Every structure is written in structure tokens, then in C-alpha cells.
Amino acid sequence: MDLKHQALKLEQPDKNFFTYTTNDVISQKDKMLHGFGQYLYDLGNNAQVGWYIQLHQHQLVLLMDQIATSLSVPTIMTMDVPSNEVTWTNLFKIIYSNLAELLTFLEREFFRYLDVDCKIPMTYLLSAQDGLVFELESLQNDFMKRGIDEDLLSIILLPLNDFLEAEHVSCSVSYHQLFYLKEYKKKLRVLLENHKAESNLTDKLEDLLQYLNFNNIHYFRYWSKSVTKDIEELPTIREKLDRLIFLQKKISQTVIKPRFIYSKVHPPLQNQLQSWLADEIVYQKEKGSLFNNGHIADELSRWKDFKVVTIFSVPQLGNIIKLLLDSGLYLNKNKTELLDFFSYFFTTVKQDNVSSGSLRSNFYKDNAAVSKAVREILMDLVNHSHKTINIFAYCVFTYLLLQL
């Protein structure tokens, strides 16, 4: 630019040159503002209007960045502070401010025609970064106070950290990225402000990330790893499938913010999660099929349809299993496996099939009426053992009664 060359040659601009250039810049800006609407009206075609708006958008951003490279960061941050002093810095600020006014006009009046992939002016970046350090620290502290997993926290704050570290000279942040991060940051703050102690913040956060289409590859890997861990802890394929299908339903019914996405180069988050769940469901079904169709040893085959019939109701069965386990008479460490075994191989006179979920619920439930019924059954056993069994069995039953 000629102005830059002149600025290198002369310490300060000539006063007449300063006044003439200032007036000319303002005059040209006013002409463009007044003639813009009429020119677009004459174009008529939406495609042509979009091309014209985006052409000027790119040109204005380019010119603004060229001017800004001649200014220091403190000067850029005080661009709106007027000064009549005849200096190159003030002349560059006046030119920049008028270019910024034109760009603001396009952004306000023709927002739907803007190229969202166009890079933002470096002043936009510096302005957005100003104060973000404090906001980022505040978000991190508030999430940590509420017990959010540190790995998950580092992932959700990563885009804000990356934005904060972006160099303004080589700025490549787009309008799309700036719009997304502003809304993203605002929604995270609202989530924290509305959070109630009794609710699960992680679940609410995951719902928000789906709503905002946060298709960050690191988050997808974290989510799939977390679900895989949960699924592996379930003892049966039936329960694994039940959990996967529930997640599939939940994600499918989650509301998504329209035309909103973190990364335009990756599939939407909902699609990624649904695809992963569909594959995992197919895998679990295939694994279950292979297990069911595989060779069963003769001894196992013999007992596959066998049931131990008891006089207990399901609540009583759950209660007495807990009694035997707590008393140390059963040494199994995995309670889920033990309860699944009883639900599969035991039945009652009142119920042919015992649900593992129902048995598990009654195992952990305290019910005075059920405890009383079990106590009466054990008392009958004590009386019976006193007559027909040895003293050791009598002591065992007496011990069990004392635990009730």
C-alpha cells in the first residue's frame, strides 16, 4: 500500500494530506453505504447478490488486516477511541474504522448471504480473546467443583483454549467458528447456573453437547470409551443390548439445534453416536448368537432347562440370598453374577420365571414384612433341625436368625 511506503519515508503525514485522505475515505464509505442497496436491487438474482456480498466481505477483511498489521495490539484494542492528532497511527485507525463500518453494515443487513467460512478480521479475534482467560478459568473451576470428570472437562474446554491461543497475525479463525464458540460458551455458563445439586451434571452436559452438535473427534472417542466400559460391566448380553437400545432411543429423541455444528468436516454428532451404537448392537447380537449356537458340554446341556423350585416368593428369595451373603456363608464377590445365577436356575411356586432385575431390586430393598416372613421360615428350620439334624446345623440356623 502507498500509505505504508509513505509512512516509512516520513515520520508524520502532512496535515493537508491527512485531512484530504480522511475526508476521502469517509466520503467513499458513505457513497458505498448509500449505493449498496440500490445496486443489489438491480442484481435481482439471489445467487448474484450472495456472490457480491461475499466478494466485498472478503475484500474488506483483507484490507482491514493489511491496515492492522501496521498497528500495535494496544492500538488495535483502542480502535474506537477517537483522536485528532496528525499521525500515521491515527490515519490508519480512521481508515480501519471506516472499513469496519462497511463490514458491520454487511454483517447486520445481509447476514444470510455472508460466507461463514471467511476468516474473521484480527480485531475480532483480539476482541473475543480479551477477557476469555478469566471466563475460561471460571468455567473450569465451576465444573471441577461439581465433580465433572477431568478428561471430559479438558475436552469440552479444548476449543476455547485453542481459540485463546490463536495468533492474531496468522489468524485463520472463521466466522463459523467464532459464532459457534460464542454460543457454546454461553450455553456452558447457563448450564452451570441452572444446575441443581440433586441432578446429574454429566448427563445434562452430554445432552447439551448433542444439542449443540459438538462433533469434536476427542469427545466422540471419550463417549464411545465410556459407553464401552459401562457395557462391559453388565453380566449378560441381554442387559448389554437393553442398555445399547436405550441409548439409541435416547440419542435419537434428543433435540438438535438446527443448522449448528462444531466441525463442518466431520459428520454430525448424532450420526456418529447412532452409527457406533448400531454397530455395537449388531456385534452383541452376533456374539450372543455364536454363544447360543456353540457346542454345549453334555453336563451343561443336561441342566440348561432345570429349575430349583422353592416355596419362597421373589422378595423372600432376594432377602435370604442377601442374608446368606452378608453372613459370609456365600463367598461370591460378584453380587450381580450370583443374583443372575439364582434368577436363571431358581423359580418359585408363585412365579415360573424370576427376573434378574426384580431379584436384584429385592436383594437391596429393606422390607419389614419380608424379613418377618423369612424369620418365620428359618424358625421352622431351627425347630426342624433341633429334632432331626445335628447340633452344627442347629447352630447355623440360629446364627442366621440372629442376623435378621
Side-chain angles (χ1 to χ4, degrees), residues 136-338:
L136 192 57
E137 184 178 352
S138 175
L139 284 172
Q140 182 169 0
N141 290 336
D142 288 345
F143 273 115
M144 290 182 69
K145 287 177 184 176
R146 289 163 174 79
I148 286 292
D149 178 71
E150 289 187 12
D151 290 338
L152 177 58
L153 181 58
S154 66
I155 291 170
I156 64 173
L157 296 183
L158 181 62
L160 298 174
N161 277 309
D162 288 345
F163 182 82
L164 190 62
E165 295 172 3
E167 293 288 341
H168 70 277
V169 176
S170 58
C171 165
S172 60
V173 177
S174 68
Y175 275 81
H176 165 77
Q177 292 171 300
L178 181 62
F179 293 156
Y180 185 93
L181 289 177
K182 283 184 175 181
E183 180 71 4
Y184 179 71
K185 182 180 64 174
K186 183 176 74 174
K187 292 297 185 184
L188 289 177
R189 174 51 59 194
V190 170
L191 174 68
L192 286 167
E193 291 174 354
N194 294 336
H195 173 249
K196 297 178 180 178
E198 64 273 12
S199 63
N200 189 314
L201 183 59
T202 300
D203 288 345
K204 297 291 184 183
L205 177 58
E206 290 183 350
D207 290 343
L208 175 62
L209 295 177
Q210 289 182 50
Y211 171 73
L212 296 177
N213 208 347
F214 185 66
N215 60 337
N216 179 289
I217 187 64
H218 299 292
Y219 174 66
F220 171 71
R221 288 172 179 165
Y222 173 89
W223 178 90
S224 57
K225 182 179 178 181
S226 176
V227 173
T228 298
K229 180 182 177 182
D230 290 343
I231 294 302
E232 287 177 347
E233 291 177 354
L234 297 174
T236 66
I237 291 178
R238 180 182 61 184
E239 290 175 293
K240 295 178 195 290
L241 285 171
D242 182 64
R243 178 61 178 166
L244 290 168
I245 293 170
F246 169 77
L247 288 174
Q248 194 177 49
K249 169 183 174 292
K250 179 184 175 184
I251 291 168
S252 177
Q253 294 176 341
T254 300
V255 177
I256 307 298
K257 187 175 176 68
R259 297 181 296 279
F260 203 73
I261 192 168
Y262 170 69
S263 172
K264 297 173 72 174
V265 300
H266 294 118
L269 178 61
Q270 190 178 56
N271 292 5
Q272 292 185 43
L273 303 187
Q274 290 287 41
S275 177
W276 187 91
L277 287 169
D279 289 342
E280 186 66 19
I281 288 171
V282 170
Y283 165 72
Q284 293 294 343
K285 286 181 177 178
E286 288 291 331
K287 186 169 72 171
S289 177
L290 288 172
F291 176 79
N292 291 332
N293 294 330
H295 175 71
I296 302 177
D298 290 341
E299 188 61 24
L300 289 178
S301 178
R302 175 188 173 190
W303 300 107
K304 66 183 181 69
D305 295 320
F306 178 78
K307 299 280 187 181
V308 177
V309 183
T310 73
I311 64 168
F312 299 122
S313 65
V314 174
Q316 291 169 354
L317 184 60
N319 184 281
I320 199 165
I321 293 171
K322 179 175 175 60
L323 178 63
L324 292 168
L325 192 64
D326 291 346
S327 302
L329 297 178
Y330 285 166
L331 300 178
N332 301 71
K333 300 298 182 184
N334 192 317
K335 297 177 182 178
T336 301
E337 288 182 350
L338 182 66

Side-chain angles (χ1 to χ4, degrees), residues 28-91:
Q28 292 296 327
K29 176 208 63 181
D30 290 339
K31 285 180 181 179
M32 290 186 68
L33 287 175
H34 289 115
F36 214 83
Q38 182 60 46
Y39 183 82
L40 292 177
Y41 180 79
D42 293 339
L43 283 176
N45 186 286
N46 270 344
Q48 289 181 313
V49 171
W51 171 83
Y52 188 75
I53 294 294
Q54 291 180 17
L55 174 65
H56 282 73
Q57 177 192 4
H58 281 268
Q59 288 177 337
L60 286 168
V61 171
L62 178 62
L63 289 172
M64 289 168 68
D65 280 356
Q66 287 178 347
I67 293 291
T69 55
S70 300
L71 301 171
S72 65
V73 172
T75 301
I76 292 173
M77 297 303 293
T78 59
M79 195 71 76
D80 295 332
V81 179
S83 174
N84 296 322
E85 189 178 355
V86 181
T87 64
W88 289 113
T89 296
N90 282 334
L91 183 57

